Amino acid sequence: MELELQKEQFDCYRPGAPLVSTREETAETIVPDYSPDITRIVDVSACLLLRSRTVAEGKLTASGSVKLTLLYMAEGTQGLRSLEYSIPFEQAEKLPDGCDKAVVEGRVCEVEARLLNPRKLFTRLNIEWKATPYCRMTMTTCGKIAQQEEYAIQTLCEKHEISLIESVGDKDFVFSEELALPGGKEAIAELLCSRVKTRVSEVKSVGSKVVLKGVACVSLLYAAEDGRLCSWDEELPFSQILDGVSAEERGEVTAAAVLNLSGCEIHTAGEGEENRAVSVKLFLNACIVLRRTESVECIVDLYSTAYELDAQTQSVELWQSPEVSSVTQNVREQLDIGADVKCVLGADVCFGSVGVSQKDGRASIRAAATVSLLYLDESGAPFALERRIEITAEGEAGGEAQASVENVCAGDIAANSNAGGVELRFPVVFTLVSVASPMCVCLTGLSASEPEAPETDPPSLVLRALGENESLWDIAKQYRTTVEELLSANELTDSAAIAAGRMLLIPRKR
């Protein structure tokens, strides 16, 4: 006789293993006619603009461009000059079967520019991609049997708090701000270079909306009216309400977001001596992942005191809520230049691959990074220096949970000139995410049949000691009685308080 199981089904997304790859892009660029001949390249910076991301026919395609700013010295002119140009890209990744969503992150982890001749540039850059695929699936659990009393079925259940990925989507938005130059800064004669980095500080799900808060870090290099080079750094907080990111009206919902820059417009907003304002307009795309917490009950063992049962089970992975923690590592790096430094114009840190290994509840983090420095030597000439370093850190890994680094960013960089070089000091913050996914045996099918008659009558009385690591459930199942009957026969009220070795009277099955 097939029995009816009362199952719960949850439609959700399952994240796949991140797809990480590095792509090299190269290009030759002709210097525009309006620019003078280049005599020396000082520095080049890159900003990745991810403008399109599509999933179709099992393939993820991302496209956009890398915006580059070249700082150089020119023939017949004095002072630092700049040139902006772009290199388009398109990246394709094959997704696992059944995956129709993906969260994409991209960053330029290495960039190099050199002169082929005074009118032609060769640029090489490495883009690191991380794509996390999401597959639609249904999780099924069973906590009850419809004919439980009719067939005298005893069940052992476990309760679990699970975290289900309910929605994966993205939204575009624009952030604009006008910056006023601080009073102690010289007015801007020419804006030479701008860098933008964004980070998420808080994400909240409120019904069908998501409230996203973040910070845009803007670094500017400009020439003043007297030709002096000046730098200016600002942090711009922003808040955005994103509509149309739905969640079911049940359970606790949490949200996470990944930000990608799709466009950037930075220019001066004044003229001449009054040129003390800068307009910033950022085009952003937020990939939103919504998780809902549910409480489920699973039958993990069962038997009948009157029938033979044939149970079919399967192991189900129950995802728990991620544990998010921050690991901060203070970095001190000496950049040897071999000459005195008159002034540091700017310093930056760009991160490449990040690896995590786990042992005894600890996570060891290793990150590849490139530190770059723009400075004036003792004669006032501009130069740039890069160095690749490795940063290590230790953090809690959350027991058996699988840990990964979700984000890494550098804090404010302090640059101090010393004999023969510059010392950089900065904190690096790793966002460590630990996710536990215990396996649970879930009931998928059940049938009952009449038991065979025993060849001999069972004894009318059984006296038995409770063994080590044995519970009343184990004894009740073995002798086809119930825990309640064992407690009553032995005048006990709490099964948890019974010590191993205690003699128990086991009532005969009726």
Side-chain angles (χ1 to χ4, degrees):
M1 171 69 180
E2 289 290 333
L3 303 186
E4 180 185 347
L5 304 181
Q6 295 181 349
K7 299 179 181 181
E8 280 193 285
Q9 291 188 328
F10 305 94
D11 292 327
C12 56
Y13 284 94
R14 177 175 182 170
L19 307 172
V20 180
S21 61
T22 302
R23 179 186 181 92
E24 183 178 88
E25 297 281 353
T26 61
E28 292 184 2
T29 304
I30 302 297
V31 177
D33 292 339
Y34 57 80
S35 297
D37 288 353
I38 297 176
T39 58
R40 178 170 69 88
I41 293 176
V42 175
D43 192 22
V44 62
S45 61
C47 178
L48 187 141
L49 304 177
L50 182 61
R51 293 196 172 95
S52 173
R53 177 184 54 83
T54 58
V55 175
E57 299 179 353
K59 186 173 71 172
L60 166 67
T61 303
S63 62
S65 65
V66 176
K67 179 183 176 183
L68 297 122
T69 303
L70 187 81
L71 298 176
Y72 65 95
M73 304 300 291
E75 184 178 9
T77 63
Q78 291 190 358
L80 195 62
R81 301 181 68 94
S82 66
L83 171 67
E84 285 192 356
Y85 60 106
S86 296
I87 298 177
F89 66 81
E90 184 171 285
Q91 176 76 6
E93 295 281 354
K94 188 178 184 304
L95 297 178
D97 292 342
C99 292
D100 61 355
K101 299 282 187 180
V103 173
V104 184
E105 299 173 72
R107 58 187 170 190
V108 179
C109 53
E110 185 179 2
V111 58
E112 173 195 5
R114 68 174 186 264
L115 284 176
L116 297 177
N117 61 54
R119 307 299 302 173
K120 183 183 287 189
L121 300 169
F122 174 81
T123 306
R124 182 185 64 84
L125 52 88
N126 283 325
I127 304 174
E128 185 177 272
W129 293 100
K130 178 184 175 183
T132 305
Y134 289 85
C135 301
R136 193 74 178 169
M137 65 165 293
T138 300
M139 177 186 289
T140 303
T141 61
C142 177
K144 293 181 181 179
I145 301 164
Q147 304 100 322
Q148 188 164 331
E149 292 186 7
E150 180 183 346
Y151 283 84
I153 297 173
Q154 305 297 308
T155 60
L156 182 64
C157 295
E158 288 182 355
K159 289 185 177 180
H160 296 273
E161 291 289 322
I162 62 173
S163 178
L164 304 173
I165 297 176
E166 183 179 81
S167 174
V168 180
D170 67 292
K171 285 289 180 180
D172 295 315
F173 64 97
V174 179
F175 167 65
S176 299
E177 186 72 60
E178 187 164 298
L179 305 179
L181 196 64
K185 294 284 186 179
E186 296 289 334
I188 302 171
E190 181 184 3
L191 187 60
L192 296 171
C193 180
S194 60
R195 298 174 188 253
V196 177
K197 292 184 178 180
T198 60
R199 67 175 185 267
V200 176
S201 55
E202 185 181 2
V203 194
K204 277 185 180 180
S205 175
V206 183
S208 63
K209 303 179 189 297
V210 168
V211 179
L212 185 149
K213 295 181 181 180
V215 176
C217 302
V218 179
S219 298
L220 305 176
L221 177 69
Y222 67 92
E225 288 291 338
D226 60 4
R228 283 186 299 162
L229 296 175
C230 305
S231 59
W232 178 22
D233 296 331
E234 281 286 342
E235 287 195 349
L236 308 178
F238 61 85
S239 179
Q240 188 74 24
I241 298 176
L242 306 177
D243 294 316
V245 186
S246 61
E248 289 190 16
E249 293 294 332
R250 62 174 187 173
E252 179 186 353
V253 177
T254 59
V258 170
L259 277 180
N260 286 301
L261 199 62
S262 58
C264 176
E265 297 176 3
I266 299 178
H267 55 82
T268 55
E271 294 182 0
E273 295 182 358
E274 299 304 318
N275 197 353
R276 305 189 60 82
V278 173
S279 174
V280 177
K281 189 174 186 179
L282 305 180
F283 300 83
L284 295 159
N285 175 267
C287 293
I288 308 293
V289 176
L290 294 182
R291 286 181 176 268
R292 177 165 48 86
T293 301
E294 288 276 358
S295 180
V296 299
E297 192 172 62
C298 301
I299 296 174
V300 295
D301 198 9
L302 78 166
Y303 66 91
S304 170
T305 60
Y307 292 85
E308 296 289 342
L309 298 180
D310 181 21
Q312 296 83 50
T313 62
Q314 70 176 12
S315 293
V316 175
E317 192 175 14
L318 301 178
W319 307 311
Q320 296 181 346
S321 296
E323 294 185 11
V324 181
S325 59
S326 293
V327 178
T328 301
Q329 180 67 38
N330 292 316
V331 178
R332 176 182 175 183
E333 189 69 23
Q334 174 69 26
L335 302 181
D336 294 323
I337 296 172
D340 289 340
V341 173
K342 179 179 180 180
C343 174
V344 174
L345 296 173
D348 191 31
V349 182
C350 179
F351 294 96
S353 59
V354 181
V356 180
S357 59
Q358 294 176 243
K359 185 177 181 181
D360 300 329
R362 300 287 294 174
S364 298
I365 305 169
R366 289 181 176 273
T370 300
V371 294
S372 57
L373 182 72
L374 183 63
Y375 66 96
L376 300 179
D377 70 0
E378 55 188 344
S379 68
F383 287 90
L385 177 68
E386 281 191 351
R387 177 172 295 172
R388 292 176 181 83
I389 63 172
E390 185 179 83
I391 300 170
T392 61
E394 295 281 334
E396 296 291 336
E400 297 298 320
Q402 183 65 40
S404 62
V405 172
E406 186 176 78
N407 187 41
V408 55
C409 64
D412 292 337
I413 302 173
N416 297 307
S417 303
N418 52 37
V422 174
E423 182 187 70
L424 300 181
R425 292 174 181 258
F426 55 91
V428 176
V429 180
F430 299 92
T431 302
L432 193 65
V433 178
S434 300
V435 182
S437 304
M439 302 299 292
C440 180
V441 176
C442 288
L443 192 64
T444 59
L446 183 65
S447 59
S449 60
E450 293 287 343
E452 295 181 3
E455 296 180 358
T456 58
D457 289 338
S460 58
L461 184 67
V462 175
L463 200 60
R464 186 182 182 294
L466 184 69
E468 289 285 346
N469 301 318
E470 194 175 33
S471 66
L472 281 191
W473 170 270
D474 298 323
I475 293 178
K477 181 178 180 180
Q478 180 181 350
Y479 291 96
R480 300 184 71 167
T481 183
T482 68
V483 171
E484 290 75 16
E485 289 175 346
L486 284 175
L487 291 171
S488 176
N490 292 275
E491 299 181 347
L492 299 169
T493 58
D494 185 4
S495 61
I498 305 174
R502 168 157 183 162
M503 300 301 293
L504 296 172
L505 178 66
I506 301 174
R508 177 181 175 180
K509 173 190 155 186
R510 306 199 187 284

